[in-house]
Amino acid sequence: MKLDTIIAERPTKKIYRDGDVIIKLFNEEYSTSDILNEALNHSRVEETGLKVPKFVEVLKIDGKWAIVNEFIEGKTLAQLMEENKDNADAINAYIERFVDLQLEIQSKSSPLLTKLKDKMRRKISETGLDATTRYELNTRLEATPKHNKICHGDYNPSNIIVTPDDEWYVIDWAHATQGNGGEDAARTYLLFSLEGKTEIAEKYLNTYCKKSDTAKQYVQTWLPIVAASQLVKHKENEKDFLMKWIDVVEYE
């Protein structure tokens, strides 16, 4: 593997291109189980027939874990939306297709993926919130209907690659679970909101609810839960924003 061409860099990993593959090289602090879980998630999603880059292998490079996947030529949807930010029609069209693709993902199932509710219970326990708040969050979580839809867990325009032929590929399945699609929609809404993209967030949520015939209030019941799960990332710049969502009992 040649690590000559870097195409993206994150605090905990670097992504390189080597011909027809990309190499996601992780920092030393990543555990073996986390790496293998991400690769396993990707493989299980790939088996459903969804359009994702082909999984190639997991290996170690200079003592660091790496995941190798097929390279997909194109731009991220986030890049395209930024390039067309002043074109309302283009943005609306992107959101429409973005939601269509999310609903296609949620139409699939993969019984061996981690159960969403189990993951959320664990996240709530790790928040450091007081016992009363944790109890209320867990009560809300238990009241949600049990589904087995594939949920991406980080569904946002940065994780969509659009090819020159206008094919849309979904990447980064590290957080994939099986569960309630409303949670995944609430998380996408949260991610837009954290970026300050309030108008896009509202357009997205309205489009998702219309296309899926879902009551907006149904998705909103997940907002305190997804905010709490985001809190465990310990990003100080997000904390005040997330705490406001966690403290809200009912949404208008």
Side-chain angles (χ1 to χ4, degrees), residues 28 48 51 62 72 99 106 122 135 139 167 179 193-195 217-218 247-248 251:
E28 292 91 339
T48 69
K51 197 172 286 295
D62 296 331
I72 303 297
V99 170
Q106 293 179 2
R122 184 173 70 252
Y135 175 82
T139 299
E167 292 186 293
S193 300
L194 284 170
E195 292 180 0
Q217 298 91 326
Y218 181 83
D247 288 341
V248 172
Y251 286 82

Side-chain angles (χ1 to χ4, degrees), residues 139-152:
T139 299
R140 182 181 287 246
L141 176 64
E142 292 307 315
T144 59
K146 293 181 180 179
H147 294 164
N148 63 349
K149 300 175 180 180
I150 291 181
C151 297
H152 182 277

Side-chain angles (χ1 to χ4, degrees), residues 69-196:
N69 291 323
E70 174 189 19
F71 172 74
I72 303 297
E73 185 73 53
K75 293 182 177 181
T76 67
L77 179 58
Q79 290 173 308
L80 293 174
M81 291 178 75
E82 179 61 26
E83 291 172 5
N84 294 276
K85 62 184 178 183
D86 297 323
N87 185 335
D89 289 340
I91 295 298
N92 288 336
Y94 286 141
I95 292 174
E96 290 269 338
R97 189 158 173 190
F98 179 70
V99 170
D100 287 340
L101 183 53
Q102 187 174 28
L103 292 175
E104 181 185 357
I105 293 168
Q106 293 179 2
S107 73
K108 305 290 186 178
S109 62
S110 180
L112 296 180
L113 285 174
T114 297
K115 289 182 172 59
L116 174 62
K117 284 194 175 185
D118 290 345
K119 184 174 183 178
M120 288 300 101
R121 289 188 200 99
R122 184 173 70 252
K123 293 285 187 183
I124 290 169
S125 73
E126 296 170 354
T127 58
L129 295 167
D130 63 85
T132 299
T133 303
R134 297 198 311 272
Y135 175 82
E136 290 177 352
L137 289 169
N138 277 310
T139 299
R140 182 181 287 246
L141 176 64
E142 292 307 315
T144 59
K146 293 181 180 179
H147 294 164
N148 63 349
K149 300 175 180 180
I150 291 181
C151 297
H152 182 277
D154 190 18
Y155 191 72
N156 70 83
S158 296
N159 284 328
I160 309 292
I161 303 293
V162 181
T163 73
D165 295 329
D166 199 34
E167 292 186 293
W168 289 34
Y169 285 78
V170 187
I171 63 172
D172 195 359
W173 293 90
H175 307 289
T177 57
Q178 55 170 319
N180 192 304
E183 186 275 349
D184 216 38
R187 187 172 299 279
T188 299
Y189 178 80
L190 170 66
L191 294 173
F192 279 129
S193 300
L194 284 170
E195 292 180 0

